[in-house]
Amino acid sequence: ETIAYKITVRNNKEYPVSAIINDQIPVTTTKNIIVETLECSNGKLDKDSGKIEWKIDLKSKETKELLLKYSVKYPKDKKVITE
């Protein structure tokens, strides 16, 4: 299974702002389940916890999109929640 999210951040202020955006991908401790990060838009990924952090600067009225995409591979006989 492949899962993707698009995070949109917009600065509606009249001045520049800095923001820290946090999200997370699933983490597994089971050897027959594999989680692979496919895209995280240059976010800083902690592979042990699955946490991703983006530090972004936005000019006035600027919009940025962050893409988070990962795949989960698991045996067909297993039931796995991927979101």
Side-chain angles (χ1 to χ4, degrees):
E1 285 187 51
T2 301
I3 295 91
Y5 297 98
K6 180 170 59 171
I7 303 166
T8 304
V9 183
R10 178 172 169 78
N11 178 10
N12 289 324
K13 305 289 183 184
E14 296 296 327
Y15 48 86
V17 297
S18 296
I20 297 175
I21 311 295
N22 292 295
D23 208 330
Q24 187 172 8
I25 61 168
V27 177
T28 182
T29 56
T30 307
K31 293 185 184 216
N32 59 353
I33 299 175
I34 300 168
V35 178
E36 181 182 357
T37 305
L38 303 175
E39 174 68 44
C40 64
S41 297
N42 296 318
K44 184 179 176 184
L45 172 64
D46 180 341
K47 292 185 179 185
D48 294 330
S49 66
K51 293 182 181 179
I52 301 173
E53 180 177 276
W54 293 272
K55 293 181 180 179
I56 59 173
D57 295 314
L58 294 165
K59 298 175 186 170
S60 177
K61 308 300 181 194
E62 183 180 14
T63 301
K64 286 191 178 179
E65 291 183 347
L66 307 171
L67 183 62
L68 175 58
K69 186 175 181 180
Y70 60 90
S71 69
V72 180
K73 298 176 186 174
Y74 56 91
K76 290 183 180 183
D77 64 330
K78 298 281 184 186
K79 196 169 197 176
V80 176
I81 299 171
T82 58
E83 296 183 25

